Amino acid sequence: MKRIVTVQDISCVGRCSLTVALPIISAMGVEACPLPTALLSTHTLFPEPAICDLTDRIEGITRHWKQTGVRFDGIYTGYLGSLRQLDIISGFIDEFCGDGFVFIDPVMGDHGRLYSGFTTEYVEQMARFCGKGDVIVPNMTEACFMLGEKYIGHDYTKDDLKDILRRLTGLGAAKAILTGVKLEPDRLGAAAYDSESGEYFLCMGDRVEGSYHGTGDIFSSVCVGALAKGESLGEAVESAVSFTCECIKLTLGDAADRRFGVNFEKALPILTK
Ligand code: PXL
């Protein structure tokens, strides 16, 4: 069985980061090992979460992993909370990547804005960190911040997307996936580029009104599971778009606060097939 390690926070309430990555990757038949970087009572869209930073615990965990000789077929990084964590996780990648793939989701913002606590210095460091990846998966907001582009959010052409994707691979990762892509009002999806083969991919699903928190982490988790299982970049993006759309559909009827994320649990059986 393939084994990946996922490096991100655990937000106890709000269905994002580790609370979606572990069940999704496991459901896909891939062993998912967490390296938790912080423990939060909720994600940061809720006001004033209680936060326990785990940066100083990372070294002890990884030292023990080195002693045990554990190896990973992939490293998946998500939300990282500080410049110091970027630095430490950079070292972790150097030590543990072996011949596995490195998948970086540069979680920093959405809808044209950075999440609370992130700075322009962090954006610059994250852009550099992306150079350690084989695959990077920014949303449109994160891509614009890292490339120094103005965020528009809509009315992109296919050529605009190709240009953004080419510049994203210029950060150093051979493959880039761009999420939150909107070419027409009622379709939302992802575009990808493999700079080694020169191939582009575009995969769109039905767009529903509103913002669904945690869907970026769901998308990335499915991609990681798919890549670990040997799917191609294009296949992984297809799987991730269709699963994410299904999760949103399964949440539409709920009156619940969107900050609680989507009902991905009901869609998990799709992944076990
Ligand atoms: O879903 C991204 C994410 C992950 N982890 C934490 C967050 C967010 C987005 O707000 O706050 C702690």
Side-chain angles (χ1 to χ4, degrees):
M1 192 183 260
K2 297 289 183 186
R3 174 191 296 128
I4 67 94
V5 56
T6 174
V7 188
Q8 50 187 326
D9 69 282
I10 179 154
S11 290
C12 304
V13 169
R15 289 189 182 117
C16 68
S17 43
L18 283 179
T19 62
V20 304
L22 298 181
I24 287 175
I25 296 167
S26 301
M28 295 177 82
V30 173
E31 181 186 347
C33 306
L35 178 50
T37 52
L39 168 68
L40 292 87
S41 52
T42 65
H43 58 64
T44 60
L45 261 63
F46 288 91
E48 296 175 37
I51 302 178
C52 173
D53 184 90
L54 298 173
T55 312
D56 290 330
R57 303 301 171 102
I58 294 172
E59 205 208 323
I61 296 171
T62 59
R63 195 184 327 117
H64 182 237
W65 283 351
K66 261 279 171 246
Q67 284 162 5
T68 61
V70 64
R71 287 179 195 283
F72 302 106
D73 299 296
I75 298 176
Y76 159 28
T77 71
Y79 182 104
L80 301 173
S82 64
L83 293 170
R84 196 168 149 241
Q85 277 189 2
L86 277 181
D87 196 42
I88 292 172
I89 302 309
S90 199
F92 171 75
I93 292 173
D94 292 340
E95 261 196 284
F96 281 87
C97 76
D99 49 14
F101 67 91
V102 178
F103 184 101
I104 296 178
D105 184 345
V107 180
M108 299 184 279
D110 208 355
H111 308 295
R113 299 177 52 185
L114 293 176
Y115 294 133
S116 95
F118 290 98
T119 60
T120 48
E121 194 185 355
Y122 187 90
V123 172
E124 279 164 27
Q125 284 291 105
M126 180 53 95
R128 202 161 311 141
F129 182 72
C130 280
K132 296 219 153 257
D134 297 301
V135 187
I136 59 169
V137 192
N139 60 28
M140 202 51 104
T141 300
E142 292 150 353
C144 287
F145 270 102
M146 290 196 292
L147 298 175
E149 278 278 323
K150 191 173 177 333
Y151 172 83
I152 316 169
H154 54 86
D155 289 339
Y156 289 98
T157 64
K158 285 186 188 169
D159 282 343
D160 294 333
L161 296 180
K162 286 184 175 178
D163 180 56
I164 294 172
L165 285 165
R166 269 196 300 267
R167 288 164 58 208
L168 283 170
T169 56
L171 298 175
K175 300 180 177 78
I177 306 173
L178 189 57
T179 62
V181 164
K182 204 169 143 196
L183 295 171
E184 43 188 328
D186 54 354
R187 307 280 286 163
L188 186 69
Y193 174 54
D194 181 338
S195 65
E196 284 166 344
S197 67
E199 288 172 292
Y200 288 95
F201 306 92
L202 183 64
C203 182
M204 305 303 284
D206 289 335
R207 188 180 94 88
V208 285
E209 219 31 73
S211 171
Y212 290 83
H213 192 74
T215 47
D217 298 339
I218 288 175
F219 182 96
S220 285
S221 302
V222 177
C223 280
V224 167
L227 292 172
K229 284 166 68 178
E231 284 186 24
S232 67
L233 181 66
E235 288 167 336
V237 171
E238 290 266 348
S239 304
V241 168
S242 90
F243 185 77
T244 308
C245 287
E246 190 57 31
C247 291
I248 293 173
K249 271 188 216 146
L250 289 166
T251 312
L252 278 177
D254 275 20
D257 182 337
R258 295 293 178 230
R259 292 177 302 180
F260 286 91
V262 292
N263 297 337
F264 77 94
E265 298 87 346
K266 287 189 187 164
L268 285 177
I270 299 171
L271 298 175
T272 60
K273 285 181 192 135

